[in-house]
mmCIF file of all heavy atoms in Angstrom:
data_model
loop_
_atom_site.group_PDB
_atom_site.id
_atom_site.type_symbol
_atom_site.label_atom_id
_atom_site.label_comp_id
_atom_site.label_asym_id
_atom_site.label_seq_id
_atom_site.Cartn_x
_atom_site.Cartn_y
_atom_site.Cartn_z
ATOM 1 N N ALA A 1 7.278 121.366 -25.660
ATOM 2 C CA ALA A 1 7.310 120.824 -27.006
ATOM 3 C C ALA A 1 7.351 119.307 -26.873
ATOM 4 O O ALA A 1 7.565 118.782 -25.771
ATOM 5 C CB ALA A 1 8.532 121.356 -27.770
ATOM 6 N N PRO A 2 7.152 118.589 -27.982
ATOM 7 C CA PRO A 2 7.142 117.123 -27.871
ATOM 8 C C PRO A 2 8.410 116.538 -27.269
ATOM 9 O O PRO A 2 8.388 115.446 -26.735
ATOM 10 C CB PRO A 2 6.954 116.666 -29.324
ATOM 11 C CG PRO A 2 6.255 117.796 -29.988
ATOM 12 C CD PRO A 2 6.795 119.043 -29.345
ATOM 13 N N ASN A 3 9.512 117.277 -27.340
ATOM 14 C CA ASN A 3 10.776 116.737 -26.847
ATOM 15 C C ASN A 3 11.424 117.622 -25.780
ATOM 16 O O ASN A 3 12.636 117.598 -25.586
ATOM 17 C CB ASN A 3 11.755 116.536 -28.004
ATOM 18 C CG ASN A 3 11.988 117.819 -28.783
ATOM 19 O OD1 ASN A 3 11.400 118.861 -28.469
ATOM 20 N ND2 ASN A 3 12.839 117.739 -29.797
ATOM 21 N N PHE A 4 10.603 118.415 -25.064
ATOM 22 C CA PHE A 4 11.161 119.273 -24.017
ATOM 23 C C PHE A 4 10.117 119.463 -22.915
ATOM 24 O O PHE A 4 9.019 119.960 -23.175
ATOM 25 C CB PHE A 4 11.573 120.621 -24.588
ATOM 26 C CG PHE A 4 12.304 121.490 -23.588
ATOM 27 C CD1 PHE A 4 13.364 120.995 -22.846
ATOM 28 C CD2 PHE A 4 11.927 122.809 -23.394
ATOM 29 C CE1 PHE A 4 14.040 121.793 -21.932
ATOM 30 C CE2 PHE A 4 12.596 123.619 -22.491
ATOM 31 C CZ PHE A 4 13.656 123.106 -21.755
ATOM 32 N N ARG A 5 10.488 119.057 -21.677
ATOM 33 C CA ARG A 5 9.541 119.022 -20.569
ATOM 34 C C ARG A 5 10.145 119.651 -19.320
ATOM 35 O O ARG A 5 11.367 119.743 -19.188
ATOM 36 C CB ARG A 5 9.151 117.565 -20.259
ATOM 37 C CG ARG A 5 8.556 116.842 -21.455
ATOM 38 C CD ARG A 5 8.455 115.342 -21.216
ATOM 39 N NE ARG A 5 9.763 114.687 -21.162
ATOM 40 C CZ ARG A 5 10.444 114.297 -22.239
ATOM 41 N NH1 ARG A 5 9.965 114.541 -23.450
ATOM 42 N NH2 ARG A 5 11.596 113.679 -22.118
ATOM 43 N N MET A 6 9.281 120.038 -18.429
ATOM 44 C CA MET A 6 9.699 120.640 -17.165
ATOM 45 C C MET A 6 8.927 119.997 -16.018
ATOM 46 O O MET A 6 7.750 119.665 -16.144
ATOM 47 C CB MET A 6 9.452 122.148 -17.194
ATOM 48 C CG MET A 6 9.883 122.909 -15.938
ATOM 49 S SD MET A 6 8.602 122.938 -14.646
ATOM 50 C CE MET A 6 7.324 123.878 -15.457
ATOM 51 N N ASN A 7 9.602 119.839 -14.898
ATOM 52 C CA ASN A 7 8.995 119.297 -13.684
ATOM 53 C C ASN A 7 9.508 120.114 -12.507
ATOM 54 O O ASN A 7 10.711 120.104 -12.223
ATOM 55 C CB ASN A 7 9.373 117.816 -13.525
ATOM 56 C CG ASN A 7 8.770 117.170 -12.299
ATOM 57 O OD1 ASN A 7 8.699 117.777 -11.230
ATOM 58 N ND2 ASN A 7 8.371 115.919 -12.423
ATOM 59 N N SER A 8 8.615 120.852 -11.838
ATOM 60 C CA SER A 8 8.986 121.612 -10.640
ATOM 61 C C SER A 8 8.252 121.045 -9.444
ATOM 62 O O SER A 8 7.065 120.696 -9.538
ATOM 63 C CB SER A 8 8.625 123.094 -10.805
ATOM 64 O OG SER A 8 9.588 123.766 -11.580
ATOM 65 N N GLN A 9 8.950 120.962 -8.311
ATOM 66 C CA GLN A 9 8.369 120.323 -7.134
ATOM 67 C C GLN A 9 8.759 121.083 -5.875
ATOM 68 O O GLN A 9 9.931 121.382 -5.651
ATOM 69 C CB GLN A 9 8.849 118.872 -7.051
ATOM 70 C CG GLN A 9 8.307 118.089 -5.879
ATOM 71 C CD GLN A 9 8.666 116.616 -5.978
ATOM 72 O OE1 GLN A 9 8.356 115.943 -6.950
ATOM 73 N NE2 GLN A 9 9.347 116.103 -4.953
ATOM 74 N N LEU A 10 7.769 121.411 -5.070
ATOM 75 C CA LEU A 10 7.968 122.014 -3.753
ATOM 76 C C LEU A 10 7.537 120.995 -2.715
ATOM 77 O O LEU A 10 6.402 120.500 -2.763
ATOM 78 C CB LEU A 10 7.154 123.300 -3.623
ATOM 79 C CG LEU A 10 7.235 124.043 -2.284
ATOM 80 C CD1 LEU A 10 8.655 124.544 -2.032
ATOM 81 C CD2 LEU A 10 6.240 125.202 -2.249
ATOM 82 N N SER A 11 8.421 120.657 -1.780
ATOM 83 C CA SER A 11 8.170 119.556 -0.856
ATOM 84 C C SER A 11 8.393 119.972 0.586
ATOM 85 O O SER A 11 9.288 120.773 0.893
ATOM 86 C CB SER A 11 9.097 118.368 -1.170
ATOM 87 O OG SER A 11 8.970 117.950 -2.508
ATOM 88 N N TYR A 12 7.586 119.402 1.440
ATOM 89 C CA TYR A 12 7.779 119.500 2.895
ATOM 90 C C TYR A 12 7.780 118.086 3.446
ATOM 91 O O TYR A 12 6.880 117.286 3.143
ATOM 92 C CB TYR A 12 6.668 120.309 3.549
ATOM 93 C CG TYR A 12 6.632 120.150 5.064
ATOM 94 C CD1 TYR A 12 7.466 120.897 5.879
ATOM 95 C CD2 TYR A 12 5.787 119.213 5.666
ATOM 96 C CE1 TYR A 12 7.457 120.740 7.256
ATOM 97 C CE2 TYR A 12 5.767 119.041 7.037
ATOM 98 C CZ TYR A 12 6.608 119.805 7.836
ATOM 99 O OH TYR A 12 6.599 119.631 9.195
ATOM 100 N N ILE A 13 8.767 117.762 4.248
ATOM 101 C CA ILE A 13 8.846 116.462 4.917
ATOM 102 C C ILE A 13 9.100 116.711 6.391
ATOM 103 O O ILE A 13 10.022 117.448 6.757
ATOM 104 C CB ILE A 13 9.966 115.578 4.331
ATOM 105 C CG1 ILE A 13 9.712 115.296 2.851
ATOM 106 C CG2 ILE A 13 10.080 114.273 5.103
ATOM 107 C CD1 ILE A 13 10.835 114.538 2.186
ATOM 108 N N GLY A 14 8.282 116.137 7.239
ATOM 109 C CA GLY A 14 8.455 116.291 8.681
ATOM 110 C C GLY A 14 8.377 114.952 9.383
ATOM 111 O O GLY A 14 7.658 114.045 8.951
ATOM 112 N N SER A 15 9.117 114.824 10.440
ATOM 113 C CA SER A 15 9.061 113.607 11.254
ATOM 114 C C SER A 15 9.432 113.956 12.685
ATOM 115 O O SER A 15 10.223 114.867 12.928
ATOM 116 C CB SER A 15 10.009 112.532 10.720
ATOM 117 O OG SER A 15 11.368 112.933 10.858
ATOM 118 N N ASP A 16 8.823 113.265 13.609
ATOM 119 C CA ASP A 16 9.247 113.379 15.003
ATOM 120 C C ASP A 16 9.024 112.053 15.683
ATOM 121 O O ASP A 16 8.116 111.287 15.331
ATOM 122 C CB ASP A 16 8.510 114.512 15.723
ATOM 123 C CG ASP A 16 7.006 114.306 15.791
ATOM 124 O OD1 ASP A 16 6.552 113.516 16.630
ATOM 125 O OD2 ASP A 16 6.279 114.943 14.992
ATOM 126 N N GLN A 17 9.875 111.764 16.617
ATOM 127 C CA GLN A 17 9.739 110.537 17.393
ATOM 128 C C GLN A 17 10.269 110.781 18.794
ATOM 129 O O GLN A 17 11.138 111.628 19.014
ATOM 130 C CB GLN A 17 10.477 109.379 16.729
ATOM 131 C CG GLN A 17 11.995 109.461 16.759
ATOM 132 C CD GLN A 17 12.642 108.123 16.432
ATOM 133 O OE1 GLN A 17 12.229 107.072 16.929
ATOM 134 N NE2 GLN A 17 13.665 108.146 15.577
ATOM 135 N N GLU A 18 9.713 110.040 19.713
ATOM 136 C CA GLU A 18 10.218 110.027 21.082
ATOM 137 C C GLU A 18 10.093 108.618 21.622
ATOM 138 O O GLU A 18 9.154 107.883 21.291
ATOM 139 C CB GLU A 18 9.478 111.027 21.963
ATOM 140 C CG GLU A 18 7.974 110.867 22.051
ATOM 141 C CD GLU A 18 7.330 111.954 22.887
ATOM 142 O OE1 GLU A 18 7.093 113.053 22.358
ATOM 143 O OE2 GLU A 18 7.083 111.690 24.078
ATOM 144 N N TYR A 19 11.068 108.229 22.424
ATOM 145 C CA TYR A 19 11.053 106.856 22.932
ATOM 146 C C TYR A 19 11.873 106.731 24.201
ATOM 147 O O TYR A 19 12.802 107.508 24.457
ATOM 148 C CB TYR A 19 11.584 105.880 21.877
ATOM 149 C CG TYR A 19 13.003 106.134 21.405
ATOM 150 C CD1 TYR A 19 14.108 105.585 22.060
ATOM 151 C CD2 TYR A 19 13.240 106.911 20.274
ATOM 152 C CE1 TYR A 19 15.393 105.810 21.619
ATOM 153 C CE2 TYR A 19 14.526 107.146 19.826
ATOM 154 C CZ TYR A 19 15.606 106.584 20.496
ATOM 155 O OH TYR A 19 16.889 106.821 20.060
ATOM 156 N N ILE A 20 11.488 105.760 24.984
ATOM 157 C CA ILE A 20 12.265 105.259 26.115
ATOM 158 C C ILE A 20 12.381 103.760 25.907
ATOM 159 O O ILE A 20 11.381 103.072 25.666
ATOM 160 C CB ILE A 20 11.587 105.554 27.461
ATOM 161 C CG1 ILE A 20 11.539 107.063 27.714
ATOM 162 C CG2 ILE A 20 12.319 104.856 28.599
ATOM 163 C CD1 ILE A 20 10.821 107.432 29.001
ATOM 164 N N VAL A 21 13.582 103.252 25.986
ATOM 165 C CA VAL A 21 13.804 101.846 25.685
ATOM 166 C C VAL A 21 14.825 101.282 26.666
ATOM 167 O O VAL A 21 15.725 101.983 27.132
ATOM 168 C CB VAL A 21 14.292 101.683 24.228
ATOM 169 C CG1 VAL A 21 15.574 102.453 23.994
ATOM 170 C CG2 VAL A 21 14.459 100.220 23.857
ATOM 171 N N SER A 22 14.670 100.016 26.998
ATOM 172 C CA SER A 22 15.613 99.318 27.869
ATOM 173 C C SER A 22 16.647 98.599 27.017
ATOM 174 O O SER A 22 16.291 97.882 26.070
ATOM 175 C CB SER A 22 14.881 98.295 28.750
ATOM 176 O OG SER A 22 13.894 98.925 29.534
ATOM 177 N N ARG A 23 17.915 98.796 27.352
ATOM 178 C CA ARG A 23 18.988 98.163 26.589
ATOM 179 C C ARG A 23 19.531 96.968 27.351
ATOM 180 O O ARG A 23 20.236 97.128 28.354
ATOM 181 C CB ARG A 23 20.114 99.163 26.333
ATOM 182 C CG ARG A 23 21.167 98.637 25.363
ATOM 183 C CD ARG A 23 22.378 99.544 25.304
ATOM 184 N NE ARG A 23 23.188 99.429 26.517
ATOM 185 C CZ ARG A 23 24.313 100.117 26.733
ATOM 186 N NH1 ARG A 23 24.725 100.975 25.819
ATOM 187 N NH2 ARG A 23 24.998 99.969 27.839
ATOM 188 N N PRO A 24 19.231 95.748 26.913
ATOM 189 C CA PRO A 24 19.743 94.563 27.614
ATOM 190 C C PRO A 24 21.219 94.335 27.305
ATOM 191 O O PRO A 24 21.598 94.114 26.161
ATOM 192 C CB PRO A 24 18.870 93.430 27.062
ATOM 193 C CG PRO A 24 18.471 93.898 25.698
ATOM 194 C CD PRO A 24 18.369 95.393 25.774
ATOM 195 N N THR A 25 22.052 94.418 28.344
ATOM 196 C CA THR A 25 23.495 94.285 28.163
ATOM 197 C C THR A 25 24.075 93.486 29.326
ATOM 198 O O THR A 25 23.703 93.695 30.484
ATOM 199 C CB THR A 25 24.171 95.669 28.123
ATOM 200 O OG1 THR A 25 23.505 96.491 27.168
ATOM 201 C CG2 THR A 25 25.642 95.546 27.751
ATOM 202 N N ILE A 26 24.967 92.582 29.008
ATOM 203 C CA ILE A 26 25.650 91.806 30.050
ATOM 204 C C ILE A 26 26.769 92.661 30.653
ATOM 205 O O ILE A 26 27.606 93.219 29.932
ATOM 206 C CB ILE A 26 26.223 90.507 29.481
ATOM 207 C CG1 ILE A 26 25.103 89.630 28.918
ATOM 208 C CG2 ILE A 26 26.994 89.748 30.566
ATOM 209 C CD1 ILE A 26 24.067 89.212 29.945
ATOM 210 N N ILE A 27 26.773 92.749 31.993
ATOM 211 C CA ILE A 27 27.783 93.535 32.686
ATOM 212 C C ILE A 27 28.580 92.637 33.626
ATOM 213 O O ILE A 27 28.398 91.410 33.635
ATOM 214 C CB ILE A 27 27.135 94.703 33.464
ATOM 215 C CG1 ILE A 27 26.150 94.164 34.515
ATOM 216 C CG2 ILE A 27 26.430 95.656 32.502
ATOM 217 C CD1 ILE A 27 25.599 95.243 35.426
ATOM 218 N N GLU A 28 29.442 93.236 34.412
ATOM 219 C CA GLU A 28 30.325 92.494 35.316
ATOM 220 C C GLU A 28 29.536 91.520 36.171
ATOM 221 O O GLU A 28 28.465 91.835 36.695
ATOM 222 C CB GLU A 28 31.090 93.472 36.206
ATOM 223 C CG GLU A 28 32.134 92.819 37.088
ATOM 224 C CD GLU A 28 32.914 93.830 37.906
ATOM 225 O OE1 GLU A 28 32.689 95.052 37.719
ATOM 226 O OE2 GLU A 28 33.741 93.418 38.733
ATOM 227 N N GLY A 29 30.063 90.314 36.310
ATOM 228 C CA GLY A 29 29.388 89.267 37.075
ATOM 229 C C GLY A 29 28.416 88.451 36.246
ATOM 230 O O GLY A 29 27.740 87.564 36.777
ATOM 231 N N GLY A 30 28.344 88.752 34.949
ATOM 232 C CA GLY A 30 27.426 88.011 34.088
ATOM 233 C C GLY A 30 25.980 88.391 34.280
ATOM 234 O O GLY A 30 25.080 87.658 33.847
ATOM 235 N N LEU A 31 25.732 89.539 34.936
ATOM 236 C CA LEU A 31 24.360 89.985 35.172
ATOM 237 C C LEU A 31 23.826 90.737 33.957
ATOM 238 O O LEU A 31 24.585 91.257 33.139
ATOM 239 C CB LEU A 31 24.313 90.885 36.404
ATOM 240 C CG LEU A 31 24.719 90.241 37.733
ATOM 241 C CD1 LEU A 31 24.728 91.269 38.853
ATOM 242 C CD2 LEU A 31 23.804 89.065 38.077
ATOM 243 N N LEU A 32 22.511 90.787 33.883
ATOM 244 C CA LEU A 32 21.841 91.480 32.783
ATOM 245 C C LEU A 32 21.405 92.856 33.254
ATOM 246 O O LEU A 32 20.584 92.990 34.161
ATOM 247 C CB LEU A 32 20.627 90.676 32.300
ATOM 248 C CG LEU A 32 19.788 91.320 31.188
ATOM 249 C CD1 LEU A 32 20.625 91.479 29.933
ATOM 250 C CD2 LEU A 32 18.553 90.487 30.894
ATOM 251 N N ASP A 33 21.980 93.880 32.627
ATOM 252 C CA ASP A 33 21.607 95.252 32.930
ATOM 253 C C ASP A 33 20.652 95.748 31.855
ATOM 254 O O ASP A 33 20.823 95.449 30.671
ATOM 255 C CB ASP A 33 22.853 96.143 32.971
ATOM 256 C CG ASP A 33 22.492 97.612 33.140
ATOM 257 O OD1 ASP A 33 22.126 97.990 34.257
ATOM 258 O OD2 ASP A 33 22.557 98.347 32.140
ATOM 259 N N ARG A 34 19.648 96.511 32.274
ATOM 260 C CA ARG A 34 18.672 97.038 31.322
ATOM 261 C C ARG A 34 18.619 98.558 31.436
ATOM 262 O O ARG A 34 17.591 99.146 31.741
ATOM 263 C CB ARG A 34 17.305 96.402 31.573
ATOM 264 C CG ARG A 34 17.313 94.911 31.231
ATOM 265 C CD ARG A 34 16.054 94.219 31.682
ATOM 266 N NE ARG A 34 15.968 94.155 33.135
ATOM 267 C CZ ARG A 34 14.944 93.608 33.795
ATOM 268 N NH1 ARG A 34 13.941 93.110 33.124
ATOM 269 N NH2 ARG A 34 14.929 93.584 35.107
ATOM 270 N N GLY A 35 19.779 99.156 31.204
ATOM 271 C CA GLY A 35 19.885 100.604 31.297
ATOM 272 C C GLY A 35 18.974 101.305 30.307
ATOM 273 O O GLY A 35 18.736 100.836 29.199
ATOM 274 N N LEU A 36 18.465 102.439 30.733
ATOM 275 C CA LEU A 36 17.521 103.194 29.921
ATOM 276 C C LEU A 36 18.246 103.985 28.844
ATOM 277 O O LEU A 36 19.281 104.587 29.088
ATOM 278 C CB LEU A 36 16.726 104.125 30.835
ATOM 279 C CG LEU A 36 15.695 105.076 30.227
ATOM 280 C CD1 LEU A 36 14.587 105.321 31.239
ATOM 281 C CD2 LEU A 36 16.326 106.412 29.828
ATOM 282 N N ARG A 37 17.700 103.967 27.649
ATOM 283 C CA ARG A 37 18.118 104.840 26.566
ATOM 284 C C ARG A 37 16.882 105.582 26.079
ATOM 285 O O ARG A 37 15.771 105.064 26.139
ATOM 286 C CB ARG A 37 18.751 104.050 25.419
ATOM 287 C CG ARG A 37 20.066 103.369 25.812
ATOM 288 C CD ARG A 37 21.126 104.396 26.186
ATOM 289 N NE ARG A 37 22.411 103.789 26.463
ATOM 290 C CZ ARG A 37 22.800 103.342 27.645
ATOM 291 N NH1 ARG A 37 21.964 103.387 28.674
ATOM 292 N NH2 ARG A 37 23.994 102.833 27.810
ATOM 293 N N SER A 38 17.075 106.785 25.577
ATOM 294 C CA SER A 38 15.917 107.588 25.185
ATOM 295 C C SER A 38 16.291 108.510 24.037
ATOM 296 O O SER A 38 17.471 108.748 23.754
ATOM 297 C CB SER A 38 15.411 108.418 26.368
ATOM 298 O OG SER A 38 16.406 109.339 26.797
ATOM 299 N N GLY A 39 15.282 109.037 23.399
ATOM 300 C CA GLY A 39 15.506 109.988 22.328
ATOM 301 C C GLY A 39 14.237 110.745 21.999
ATOM 302 O O GLY A 39 13.131 110.203 22.104
#
């Protein structure tokens, strides 16, 4: 009707990621460590 409405929605959302990354961090002795992190 002019003053009554309906909205129905069916949704699919997908995502995937993979990575290997170096983490720059200062460790003992003031050295730079680049330990691996991943996901």
Side-chain angles (χ1 to χ4, degrees):
N3 56 359
F4 187 49
R5 303 168 291 277
M6 182 274 295
N7 181 320
S8 280
Q9 181 172 303
L10 179 64
S11 304
Y12 166 83
I13 299 175
S15 66
D16 62 78
Q17 70 164 316
E18 57 183 82
Y19 60 88
I20 294 177
V21 59
S22 302
R23 189 189 73 180
T25 308
I26 299 299
I27 60 173
E28 186 177 356
L31 297 176
L32 177 63
D33 174 75
R34 292 171 292 179
L36 178 150
R37 295 297 184 272
S38 63

